[in-house]
Amino acid sequence: CFVKGAVTLNTSVYDFIFFYHSFSKNKRAKTILIIKSWVANNCKQLVGLLRKKNVVVKKLSAAANTVARDQSLSEPEKHFQVIHTLEVFQKELNESENLVFQAMQSLQRALQGDYKDVVNIKESSRQRLEALRQAAIKEEQEYVELVAAEKHQQEAVKSALAQNKTLSILDGILEDVKRAADRLEEEIEEHAFDNNKQMKGVNVEAVLRVENEEKGGKLKNTSKQKEVEDDLGLSMLIDSQNNQYVLTKPRDSTMPRTDHHFIKDLVSVVMLSLPCGWICSLVGLPPMFGYIISGVLLGPSGLNSIRSMVQVETLGELGVFFTLFVVGLEFSPERLRKVWKTSVQGSCCLSLLMVGAGLLWGQFLHIQPTQTVFISTCLSLSSTPLVSRFLAGGGKVDKEGDLDYSSVLLGMLVMQDVQLGLFIAVMPTLIQAQSGDLDGFLYGGLRVLGLLAQVLLSLAAVLLLCSLLRSYVIGQYCKRLHAESKDTKEILLLGITAFVFFMLTVTELLDVSMELGCFLAGALLSSQGHMVTSEVMGCIEPVRDFLAIIFFASIGLHVFPTFVLYELTFLIVLTLTLVIMKFLMAVLVLSVILPQNSRHIRWIVSAGLAQVSEFSFVLGSQARRAGIISREVYLLVLSVTTLSLLLAPLLWRVTTHRWVARM
């Protein structure tokens, strides 16, 4: 009765708020008598409900004392009867009482506020929403406790029946197995919800749980499928921001589960990438064009059939790692020592020129410096996986002492990957500058200098580790792998992959980019000679090619042809301006830092740098969430990056056709 009255009063409060605000000022005076009558009647009801509640609580206490004095019940039975029956009911009464007083407080705030004040109404709505979320958590906990109580009662009935009959040998074995299974579930259950709900930064959100898949625009509502979905836990959650979530770790880890959405997505990407890549090869275009097109067709701007976008992109990131590992295999330590100085100087000077040009344009267009710094730095990066596919083995040296263009180009790209890690670390400072916090910005400037020193120390530590590994570990490691892999290539593949992941983990722990770790892993293995390099290359290349297909298809998921068509002229002009500007800046920088006998390669290296890295997708999304750039700027960066990647093969082919022939 109390719960029903509380819900009725709570609903009446919100109805009255709407009723009160719907009147004009001259009509409100006529409702004073109605208001007084309404308040008096509901106050009488509230007082009566509170009295009934006190009576019920006393009865509950008496019932709990009776159970405690009952000698026929065991201690676990007393515990469950008191905790899961009496106390749950008492908590339900207390929560209902809290709802009543919360409703009265909401009514008081609404009557004191102005119905035209949207901010006040929004704050009241936010407070009610937060209260509902907390109430939902408590109600969920009470429901779980009641389910546990029901299960315990069923077990008690079964136990009572079992005591009245003699158990067979099989029944006894099954009963022991059941108790062991119960203990196993208690041991492996993490209670993640209860452990994390009170942590700082944890928010309670309302989500939709989609149990059934759509087929032909209709939901398959068969009870059998729903039971399967409930058992397997493969349903999808959708929050109020339209983000979609899938299961990552089940409560019952004893049952194997498969994310069939992810499997279907991979099947779709591979099946469509074959004809698209084949057609591009037939017309003389790089196959990667076809892979990107397959991502466009399957992505949000196409059929929108990819359900596990994050998982597909994560798998594609492995393609970047193995691509850079293969680049390192073709990049011997001798070549690395030859171009490291040019690579560091060239990448840093090019980034500074891009930032300087961005600040000038920002001053002319009245754009905030933080936005121009971010956009310029983002656009100064170039795509390492794309260029490594262009090189396909690298350039050759014509004369002793000359630098080949592939070494210089790959060295500059690897240094840009290092700058990417530093830029991600500096992003919080840009956020503080965007908010106008001067003290925070000055502190952030000192923090940037500290981060720069930290990156330099980390690079020194990584190089020292590589030197030690090359001197004492790599040789024996390769010999051992070769000896163990004579009969099967599994050990060789596993050993190579483990070494790549080891270097990746080391550079990540030292706050250097993971891509650099993959590149150094390949360079270390290449120091063991041509035989080791050939064996490793033959083993790892198929894995690299497959993951690279997924990577280029994941790029296509972020291509939006409709937006490009709407702003086609502006985007083409913007992309051509950016490509030409990066090309000319790279030519200028390389003309200064390259030795006199190697300056003829500056045109090819500049052509390889005249596009935007795919990592601008990641940086742009982080900046948009942080409020550094707007949605419009984010879409422009996304579109310009995509068009520059599509234009890069044409520019590379034209430049190499002219200058490689001359060299």
Side-chain angles (χ1 to χ4, degrees), residues 304-336:
N304 197 22
S305 61
I306 301 296
R307 303 284 295 276
S308 303
M309 286 186 62
V310 176
Q311 287 76 10
V312 172
E313 293 171 3
T314 303
L315 185 62
E317 188 69 16
L318 294 178
V320 177
F321 295 155
F322 281 98
T323 298
L324 290 172
F325 170 71
V326 173
V327 170
L329 279 177
E330 300 172 347
F331 210 84
S332 63
E334 289 74 19
R335 292 172 66 189
L336 188 61

PDB file of all heavy atoms in Angstrom, residues 304-336:
ATOM      1  N   ASN A 304      26.273   0.141 -44.671  1.00  0.00           N
ATOM      2  CA  ASN A 304      26.203   0.216 -43.210  1.00  0.00           C
ATOM      3  C   ASN A 304      26.016  -1.169 -42.589  1.00  0.00           C
ATOM      4  O   ASN A 304      25.234  -1.375 -41.665  1.00  0.00           O
ATOM      5  CB  ASN A 304      25.065   1.142 -42.773  1.00  0.00           C
ATOM      6  CG  ASN A 304      25.203   1.576 -41.314  1.00  0.00           C
ATOM      7  OD1 ASN A 304      26.294   1.544 -40.758  1.00  0.00           O
ATOM      8  ND2 ASN A 304      24.103   1.955 -40.701  1.00  0.00           N
ATOM      9  N   SER A 305      26.779  -2.121 -43.113  1.00  0.00           N
ATOM     10  CA  SER A 305      26.668  -3.504 -42.642  1.00  0.00           C
ATOM     11  C   SER A 305      27.731  -3.880 -41.620  1.00  0.00           C
ATOM     12  O   SER A 305      27.689  -4.978 -41.070  1.00  0.00           O
ATOM     13  CB  SER A 305      26.765  -4.466 -43.837  1.00  0.00           C
ATOM     14  OG  SER A 305      28.020  -4.326 -44.494  1.00  0.00           O
ATOM     15  N   ILE A 306      28.689  -2.998 -41.362  1.00  0.00           N
ATOM     16  CA  ILE A 306      29.728  -3.286 -40.376  1.00  0.00           C
ATOM     17  C   ILE A 306      29.196  -2.949 -38.987  1.00  0.00           C
ATOM     18  O   ILE A 306      28.912  -1.795 -38.682  1.00  0.00           O
ATOM     19  CB  ILE A 306      31.014  -2.479 -40.676  1.00  0.00           C
ATOM     20  CG1 ILE A 306      31.543  -2.824 -42.067  1.00  0.00           C
ATOM     21  CG2 ILE A 306      32.071  -2.758 -39.630  1.00  0.00           C
ATOM     22  CD1 ILE A 306      31.974  -4.257 -42.225  1.00  0.00           C
ATOM     23  N   ARG A 307      29.060  -3.950 -38.161  1.00  0.00           N
ATOM     24  CA  ARG A 307      28.534  -3.751 -36.810  1.00  0.00           C
ATOM     25  C   ARG A 307      29.655  -3.522 -35.793  1.00  0.00           C
ATOM     26  O   ARG A 307      29.476  -2.800 -34.818  1.00  0.00           O
ATOM     27  CB  ARG A 307      27.713  -4.983 -36.396  1.00  0.00           C
ATOM     28  CG  ARG A 307      26.570  -5.310 -37.343  1.00  0.00           C
ATOM     29  CD  ARG A 307      25.415  -4.370 -37.146  1.00  0.00           C
ATOM     30  NE  ARG A 307      24.814  -4.520 -35.848  1.00  0.00           N
ATOM     31  CZ  ARG A 307      23.893  -5.422 -35.537  1.00  0.00           C
ATOM     32  NH1 ARG A 307      23.484  -6.274 -36.470  1.00  0.00           N
ATOM     33  NH2 ARG A 307      23.385  -5.483 -34.330  1.00  0.00           N
ATOM     34  N   SER A 308      30.797  -4.170 -36.002  1.00  0.00           N
ATOM     35  CA  SER A 308      31.913  -4.093 -35.045  1.00  0.00           C
ATOM     36  C   SER A 308      33.033  -3.247 -35.641  1.00  0.00           C
ATOM     37  O   SER A 308      34.121  -3.737 -35.940  1.00  0.00           O
ATOM     38  CB  SER A 308      32.420  -5.495 -34.697  1.00  0.00           C
ATOM     39  OG  SER A 308      31.390  -6.301 -34.190  1.00  0.00           O
ATOM     40  N   MET A 309      32.768  -1.951 -35.823  1.00  0.00           N
ATOM     41  CA  MET A 309      33.744  -1.069 -36.453  1.00  0.00           C
ATOM     42  C   MET A 309      35.027  -0.973 -35.636  1.00  0.00           C
ATOM     43  O   MET A 309      36.137  -1.015 -36.181  1.00  0.00           O
ATOM     44  CB  MET A 309      33.146   0.321 -36.652  1.00  0.00           C
ATOM     45  CG  MET A 309      32.132   0.411 -37.771  1.00  0.00           C
ATOM     46  SD  MET A 309      31.589   2.108 -38.064  1.00  0.00           S
ATOM     47  CE  MET A 309      33.123   2.890 -38.527  1.00  0.00           C
ATOM     48  N   VAL A 310      34.895  -0.839 -34.326  1.00  0.00           N
ATOM     49  CA  VAL A 310      36.086  -0.691 -33.481  1.00  0.00           C
ATOM     50  C   VAL A 310      36.950  -1.942 -33.553  1.00  0.00           C
ATOM     51  O   VAL A 310      38.187  -1.865 -33.637  1.00  0.00           O
ATOM     52  CB  VAL A 310      35.668  -0.404 -32.028  1.00  0.00           C
ATOM     53  CG1 VAL A 310      36.880  -0.348 -31.112  1.00  0.00           C
ATOM     54  CG2 VAL A 310      34.893   0.898 -31.952  1.00  0.00           C
ATOM     55  N   GLN A 311      36.332  -3.122 -33.554  1.00  0.00           N
ATOM     56  CA  GLN A 311      37.094  -4.359 -33.609  1.00  0.00           C
ATOM     57  C   GLN A 311      37.805  -4.508 -34.953  1.00  0.00           C
ATOM     58  O   GLN A 311      38.962  -4.951 -35.009  1.00  0.00           O
ATOM     59  CB  GLN A 311      36.169  -5.557 -33.369  1.00  0.00           C
ATOM     60  CG  GLN A 311      35.710  -5.719 -31.930  1.00  0.00           C
ATOM     61  CD  GLN A 311      34.638  -4.734 -31.530  1.00  0.00           C
ATOM     62  OE1 GLN A 311      34.080  -4.033 -32.354  1.00  0.00           O
ATOM     63  NE2 GLN A 311      34.339  -4.669 -30.247  1.00  0.00           N
ATOM     64  N   VAL A 312      37.136  -4.129 -36.050  1.00  0.00           N
ATOM     65  CA  VAL A 312      37.768  -4.202 -37.367  1.00  0.00           C
ATOM     66  C   VAL A 312      38.949  -3.235 -37.439  1.00  0.00           C
ATOM     67  O   VAL A 312      40.029  -3.573 -37.958  1.00  0.00           O
ATOM     68  CB  VAL A 312      36.738  -3.895 -38.469  1.00  0.00           C
ATOM     69  CG1 VAL A 312      37.411  -3.772 -39.833  1.00  0.00           C
ATOM     70  CG2 VAL A 312      35.675  -4.989 -38.515  1.00  0.00           C
ATOM     71  N   GLU A 313      38.782  -2.026 -36.933  1.00  0.00           N
ATOM     72  CA  GLU A 313      39.875  -1.056 -36.950  1.00  0.00           C
ATOM     73  C   GLU A 313      41.036  -1.507 -36.067  1.00  0.00           C
ATOM     74  O   GLU A 313      42.204  -1.264 -36.400  1.00  0.00           O
ATOM     75  CB  GLU A 313      39.366   0.304 -36.499  1.00  0.00           C
ATOM     76  CG  GLU A 313      38.379   0.939 -37.470  1.00  0.00           C
ATOM     77  CD  GLU A 313      37.730   2.178 -36.903  1.00  0.00           C
ATOM     78  OE1 GLU A 313      38.105   2.565 -35.781  1.00  0.00           O
ATOM     79  OE2 GLU A 313      36.861   2.753 -37.566  1.00  0.00           O
ATOM     80  N   THR A 314      40.727  -2.161 -34.947  1.00  0.00           N
ATOM     81  CA  THR A 314      41.795  -2.662 -34.076  1.00  0.00           C
ATOM     82  C   THR A 314      42.597  -3.749 -34.779  1.00  0.00           C
ATOM     83  O   THR A 314      43.835  -3.773 -34.701  1.00  0.00           O
ATOM     84  CB  THR A 314      41.190  -3.214 -32.779  1.00  0.00           C
ATOM     85  OG1 THR A 314      40.423  -2.191 -32.139  1.00  0.00           O
ATOM     86  CG2 THR A 314      42.280  -3.678 -31.835  1.00  0.00           C
ATOM     87  N   LEU A 315      41.908  -4.650 -35.473  1.00  0.00           N
ATOM     88  CA  LEU A 315      42.624  -5.674 -36.237  1.00  0.00           C
ATOM     89  C   LEU A 315      43.444  -5.040 -37.357  1.00  0.00           C
ATOM     90  O   LEU A 315      44.559  -5.476 -37.644  1.00  0.00           O
ATOM     91  CB  LEU A 315      41.627  -6.685 -36.804  1.00  0.00           C
ATOM     92  CG  LEU A 315      42.224  -7.891 -37.535  1.00  0.00           C
ATOM     93  CD1 LEU A 315      43.090  -8.710 -36.581  1.00  0.00           C
ATOM     94  CD2 LEU A 315      41.122  -8.764 -38.125  1.00  0.00           C
ATOM     95  N   GLY A 316      42.900  -3.996 -37.980  1.00  0.00           N
ATOM     96  CA  GLY A 316      43.652  -3.299 -39.012  1.00  0.00           C
ATOM     97  C   GLY A 316      44.896  -2.624 -38.464  1.00  0.00           C
ATOM     98  O   GLY A 316      45.905  -2.483 -39.175  1.00  0.00           O
ATOM     99  N   GLU A 317      44.859  -2.209 -37.195  1.00  0.00           N
ATOM    100  CA  GLU A 317      46.050  -1.598 -36.585  1.00  0.00           C
ATOM    101  C   GLU A 317      47.204  -2.592 -36.534  1.00  0.00           C
ATOM    102  O   GLU A 317      48.373  -2.202 -36.642  1.00  0.00           O
ATOM    103  CB  GLU A 317      45.699  -1.108 -35.181  1.00  0.00           C
ATOM    104  CG  GLU A 317      46.769  -0.285 -34.518  1.00  0.00           C
ATOM    105  CD  GLU A 317      46.972   1.066 -35.172  1.00  0.00           C
ATOM    106  OE1 GLU A 317      46.097   1.493 -35.949  1.00  0.00           O
ATOM    107  OE2 GLU A 317      48.012   1.694 -34.904  1.00  0.00           O
ATOM    108  N   LEU A 318      46.893  -3.873 -36.389  1.00  0.00           N
ATOM    109  CA  LEU A 318      47.947  -4.886 -36.455  1.00  0.00           C
ATOM    110  C   LEU A 318      48.599  -4.895 -37.830  1.00  0.00           C
ATOM    111  O   LEU A 318      49.791  -5.212 -37.959  1.00  0.00           O
ATOM    112  CB  LEU A 318      47.373  -6.265 -36.123  1.00  0.00           C
ATOM    113  CG  LEU A 318      46.871  -6.461 -34.692  1.00  0.00           C
ATOM    114  CD1 LEU A 318      46.286  -7.851 -34.530  1.00  0.00           C
ATOM    115  CD2 LEU A 318      47.993  -6.251 -33.689  1.00  0.00           C
ATOM    116  N   GLY A 319      47.829  -4.564 -38.862  1.00  0.00           N
ATOM    117  CA  GLY A 319      48.419  -4.455 -40.193  1.00  0.00           C
ATOM    118  C   GLY A 319      49.467  -3.361 -40.257  1.00  0.00           C
ATOM    119  O   GLY A 319      50.495  -3.506 -40.939  1.00  0.00           O
ATOM    120  N   VAL A 320      49.245  -2.255 -39.546  1.00  0.00           N
ATOM    121  CA  VAL A 320      50.250  -1.185 -39.482  1.00  0.00           C
ATOM    122  C   VAL A 320      51.511  -1.690 -38.793  1.00  0.00           C
ATOM    123  O   VAL A 320      52.642  -1.438 -39.252  1.00  0.00           O
ATOM    124  CB  VAL A 320      49.679   0.035 -38.741  1.00  0.00           C
ATOM    125  CG1 VAL A 320      50.732   1.126 -38.597  1.00  0.00           C
ATOM    126  CG2 VAL A 320      48.457   0.583 -39.463  1.00  0.00           C
ATOM    127  N   PHE A 321      51.349  -2.430 -37.706  1.00  0.00           N
ATOM    128  CA  PHE A 321      52.510  -2.931 -36.965  1.00  0.00           C
ATOM    129  C   PHE A 321      53.369  -3.854 -37.830  1.00  0.00           C
ATOM    130  O   PHE A 321      54.596  -3.703 -37.886  1.00  0.00           O
ATOM    131  CB  PHE A 321      52.049  -3.673 -35.707  1.00  0.00           C
ATOM    132  CG  PHE A 321      51.360  -2.793 -34.707  1.00  0.00           C
ATOM    133  CD1 PHE A 321      50.461  -3.321 -33.797  1.00  0.00           C
ATOM    134  CD2 PHE A 321      51.598  -1.428 -34.673  1.00  0.00           C
ATOM    135  CE1 PHE A 321      49.830  -2.517 -32.873  1.00  0.00           C
ATOM    136  CE2 PHE A 321      50.969  -0.603 -33.757  1.00  0.00           C
ATOM    137  CZ  PHE A 321      50.079  -1.157 -32.848  1.00  0.00           C
ATOM    138  N   PHE A 322      52.734  -4.806 -38.501  1.00  0.00           N
ATOM    139  CA  PHE A 322      53.511  -5.757 -39.296  1.00  0.00           C
ATOM    140  C   PHE A 322      54.057  -5.115 -40.565  1.00  0.00           C
ATOM    141  O   PHE A 322      55.100  -5.538 -41.065  1.00  0.00           O
ATOM    142  CB  PHE A 322      52.648  -6.979 -39.630  1.00  0.00           C
ATOM    143  CG  PHE A 322      52.524  -7.954 -38.499  1.00  0.00           C
ATOM    144  CD1 PHE A 322      51.423  -7.948 -37.674  1.00  0.00           C
ATOM    145  CD2 PHE A 322      53.534  -8.859 -38.241  1.00  0.00           C
ATOM    146  CE1 PHE A 322      51.306  -8.829 -36.618  1.00  0.00           C
ATOM    147  CE2 PHE A 322      53.438  -9.760 -37.187  1.00  0.00           C
ATOM    148  CZ  PHE A 322      52.326  -9.739 -36.372  1.00  0.00           C
ATOM    149  N   THR A 323      53.378  -4.102 -41.090  1.00  0.00           N
ATOM    150  CA  THR A 323      53.922  -3.380 -42.237  1.00  0.00           C
ATOM    151  C   THR A 323      55.215  -2.673 -41.861  1.00  0.00           C
ATOM    152  O   THR A 323      56.218  -2.726 -42.600  1.00  0.00           O
ATOM    153  CB  THR A 323      52.900  -2.364 -42.764  1.00  0.00           C
ATOM    154  OG1 THR A 323      51.733  -3.061 -43.217  1.00  0.00           O
ATOM    155  CG2 THR A 323      53.473  -1.556 -43.915  1.00  0.00           C
ATOM    156  N   LEU A 324      55.230  -2.026 -40.720  1.00  0.00           N
ATOM    157  CA  LEU A 324      56.446  -1.357 -40.262  1.00  0.00           C
ATOM    158  C   LEU A 324      57.529  -2.361 -39.887  1.00  0.00           C
ATOM    159  O   LEU A 324      58.728  -2.071 -40.038  1.00  0.00           O
ATOM    160  CB  LEU A 324      56.127  -0.456 -39.069  1.00  0.00           C
ATOM    161  CG  LEU A 324      55.304   0.786 -39.409  1.00  0.00           C
ATOM    162  CD1 LEU A 324      54.881   1.511 -38.147  1.00  0.00           C
ATOM    163  CD2 LEU A 324      56.104   1.719 -40.289  1.00  0.00           C
ATOM    164  N   PHE A 325      57.141  -3.528 -39.416  1.00  0.00           N
ATOM    165  CA  PHE A 325      58.140  -4.567 -39.145  1.00  0.00           C
ATOM    166  C   PHE A 325      58.828  -5.007 -40.431  1.00  0.00           C
ATOM    167  O   PHE A 325      60.060  -5.157 -40.466  1.00  0.00           O
ATOM    168  CB  PHE A 325      57.467  -5.754 -38.459  1.00  0.00           C
ATOM    169  CG  PHE A 325      58.352  -6.961 -38.341  1.00  0.00           C
ATOM    170  CD1 PHE A 325      59.424  -6.959 -37.466  1.00  0.00           C
ATOM    171  CD2 PHE A 325      58.115  -8.083 -39.114  1.00  0.00           C
ATOM    172  CE1 PHE A 325      60.248  -8.073 -37.356  1.00  0.00           C
ATOM    173  CE2 PHE A 325      58.927  -9.195 -39.013  1.00  0.00           C
ATOM    174  CZ  PHE A 325      59.995  -9.194 -38.128  1.00  0.00           C
ATOM    175  N   VAL A 326      58.058  -5.204 -41.489  1.00  0.00           N
ATOM    176  CA  VAL A 326      58.648  -5.580 -42.774  1.00  0.00           C
ATOM    177  C   VAL A 326      59.520  -4.448 -43.310  1.00  0.00           C
ATOM    178  O   VAL A 326      60.586  -4.689 -43.901  1.00  0.00           O
ATOM    179  CB  VAL A 326      57.536  -5.952 -43.774  1.00  0.00           C
ATOM    180  CG1 VAL A 326      58.106  -6.176 -45.166  1.00  0.00           C
ATOM    181  CG2 VAL A 326      56.803  -7.199 -43.300  1.00  0.00           C
ATOM    182  N   VAL A 327      59.083  -3.203 -43.110  1.00  0.00           N
ATOM    183  CA  VAL A 327      59.921  -2.064 -43.502  1.00  0.00           C
ATOM    184  C   VAL A 327      61.259  -2.118 -42.766  1.00  0.00           C
ATOM    185  O   VAL A 327      62.328  -1.889 -43.350  1.00  0.00           O
ATOM    186  CB  VAL A 327      59.183  -0.740 -43.215  1.00  0.00           C
ATOM    187  CG1 VAL A 327      60.125   0.443 -43.388  1.00  0.00           C
ATOM    188  CG2 VAL A 327      57.989  -0.588 -44.142  1.00  0.00           C
ATOM    189  N   GLY A 328      61.224  -2.436 -41.475  1.00  0.00           N
ATOM    190  CA  GLY A 328      62.464  -2.551 -40.716  1.00  0.00           C
ATOM    191  C   GLY A 328      63.335  -3.688 -41.197  1.00  0.00           C
ATOM    192  O   GLY A 328      64.575  -3.590 -41.167  1.00  0.00           O
ATOM    193  N   LEU A 329      62.729  -4.795 -41.655  1.00  0.00           N
ATOM    194  CA  LEU A 329      63.515  -5.899 -42.208  1.00  0.00           C
ATOM    195  C   LEU A 329      64.308  -5.465 -43.438  1.00  0.00           C
ATOM    196  O   LEU A 329      65.435  -5.934 -43.665  1.00  0.00           O
ATOM    197  CB  LEU A 329      62.598  -7.067 -42.580  1.00  0.00           C
ATOM    198  CG  LEU A 329      62.148  -8.007 -41.465  1.00  0.00           C
ATOM    199  CD1 LEU A 329      61.195  -9.044 -42.022  1.00  0.00           C
ATOM    200  CD2 LEU A 329      63.344  -8.671 -40.804  1.00  0.00           C
ATOM    201  N   GLU A 330      63.732  -4.591 -44.236  1.00  0.00           N
ATOM    202  CA  GLU A 330      64.417  -4.104 -45.433  1.00  0.00           C
ATOM    203  C   GLU A 330      65.320  -2.919 -45.139  1.00  0.00           C
ATOM    204  O   GLU A 330      65.963  -2.384 -46.045  1.00  0.00           O
ATOM    205  CB  GLU A 330      63.371  -3.704 -46.479  1.00  0.00           C
ATOM    206  CG  GLU A 330      62.474  -4.846 -46.903  1.00  0.00           C
ATOM    207  CD  GLU A 330      61.334  -4.385 -47.792  1.00  0.00           C
ATOM    208  OE1 GLU A 330      61.121  -3.163 -47.859  1.00  0.00           O
ATOM    209  OE2 GLU A 330      60.683  -5.234 -48.403  1.00  0.00           O
ATOM    210  N   PHE A 331      65.340  -2.510 -43.873  1.00  0.00           N
ATOM    211  CA  PHE A 331      66.064  -1.303 -43.477  1.00  0.00           C
ATOM    212  C   PHE A 331      67.184  -1.728 -42.529  1.00  0.00           C
ATOM    213  O   PHE A 331      67.022  -1.763 -41.324  1.00  0.00           O
ATOM    214  CB  PHE A 331      65.098  -0.352 -42.758  1.00  0.00           C
ATOM    215  CG  PHE A 331      65.442   1.098 -42.921  1.00  0.00           C
ATOM    216  CD1 PHE A 331      65.023   1.780 -44.045  1.00  0.00           C
ATOM    217  CD2 PHE A 331      66.165   1.772 -41.960  1.00  0.00           C
ATOM    218  CE1 PHE A 331      65.305   3.119 -44.198  1.00  0.00           C
ATOM    219  CE2 PHE A 331      66.459   3.108 -42.101  1.00  0.00           C
ATOM    220  CZ  PHE A 331      66.026   3.788 -43.230  1.00  0.00           C
ATOM    221  N   SER A 332      68.323  -2.054 -43.061  1.00  0.00           N
ATOM    222  CA  SER A 332      69.429  -2.582 -42.268  1.00  0.00           C
ATOM    223  C   SER A 332      69.971  -1.505 -41.337  1.00  0.00           C
ATOM    224  O   SER A 332      69.813  -0.304 -41.576  1.00  0.00           O
ATOM    225  CB  SER A 332      70.540  -3.071 -43.188  1.00  0.00           C
ATOM    226  OG  SER A 332      71.076  -2.000 -43.936  1.00  0.00           O
ATOM    227  N   PRO A 333      70.634  -1.914 -40.247  1.00  0.00           N
ATOM    228  CA  PRO A 333      71.227  -0.918 -39.334  1.00  0.00           C
ATOM    229  C   PRO A 333      72.221   0.007 -40.023  1.00  0.00           C
ATOM    230  O   PRO A 333      72.378   1.161 -39.607  1.00  0.00           O
ATOM    231  CB  PRO A 333      71.908  -1.791 -38.274  1.00  0.00           C
ATOM    232  CG  PRO A 333      71.137  -3.069 -38.290  1.00  0.00           C
ATOM    233  CD  PRO A 333      70.723  -3.278 -39.712  1.00  0.00           C
ATOM    234  N   GLU A 334      72.902  -0.495 -41.057  1.00  0.00           N
ATOM    235  CA  GLU A 334      73.829   0.373 -41.782  1.00  0.00           C
ATOM    236  C   GLU A 334      73.081   1.518 -42.456  1.00  0.00           C
ATOM    237  O   GLU A 334      73.518   2.675 -42.409  1.00  0.00           O
ATOM    238  CB  GLU A 334      74.604  -0.450 -42.818  1.00  0.00           C
ATOM    239  CG  GLU A 334      75.633  -1.407 -42.223  1.00  0.00           C
ATOM    240  CD  GLU A 334      74.989  -2.618 -41.566  1.00  0.00           C
ATOM    241  OE1 GLU A 334      73.803  -2.909 -41.878  1.00  0.00           O
ATOM    242  OE2 GLU A 334      75.650  -3.264 -40.727  1.00  0.00           O
ATOM    243  N   ARG A 335      71.971   1.201 -43.085  1.00  0.00           N
ATOM    244  CA  ARG A 335      71.161   2.253 -43.709  1.00  0.00           C
ATOM    245  C   ARG A 335      70.587   3.195 -42.643  1.00  0.00           C
ATOM    246  O   ARG A 335      70.470   4.401 -42.870  1.00  0.00           O
ATOM    247  CB  ARG A 335      70.019   1.635 -44.511  1.00  0.00           C
ATOM    248  CG  ARG A 335      70.472   0.864 -45.739  1.00  0.00           C
ATOM    249  CD  ARG A 335      69.303   0.139 -46.364  1.00  0.00           C
ATOM    250  NE  ARG A 335      68.319   1.056 -46.914  1.00  0.00           N
ATOM    251  CZ  ARG A 335      67.122   0.679 -47.368  1.00  0.00           C
ATOM    252  NH1 ARG A 335      66.778  -0.592 -47.314  1.00  0.00           N
ATOM    253  NH2 ARG A 335      66.286   1.560 -47.840  1.00  0.00           N
ATOM    254  N   LEU A 336      70.236   2.615 -41.478  1.00  0.00           N
ATOM    255  CA  LEU A 336      69.672   3.436 -40.409  1.00  0.00           C
ATOM    256  C   LEU A 336      70.699   4.435 -39.880  1.00  0.00           C
ATOM    257  O   LEU A 336      70.385   5.607 -39.658  1.00  0.00           O
ATOM    258  CB  LEU A 336      69.173   2.527 -39.279  1.00  0.00           C
ATOM    259  CG  LEU A 336      68.380   3.183 -38.151  1.00  0.00           C
ATOM    260  CD1 LEU A 336      67.124   3.823 -38.692  1.00  0.00           C
ATOM    261  CD2 LEU A 336      68.051   2.168 -37.071  1.00  0.00           C
TER     262      LEU A 336
END
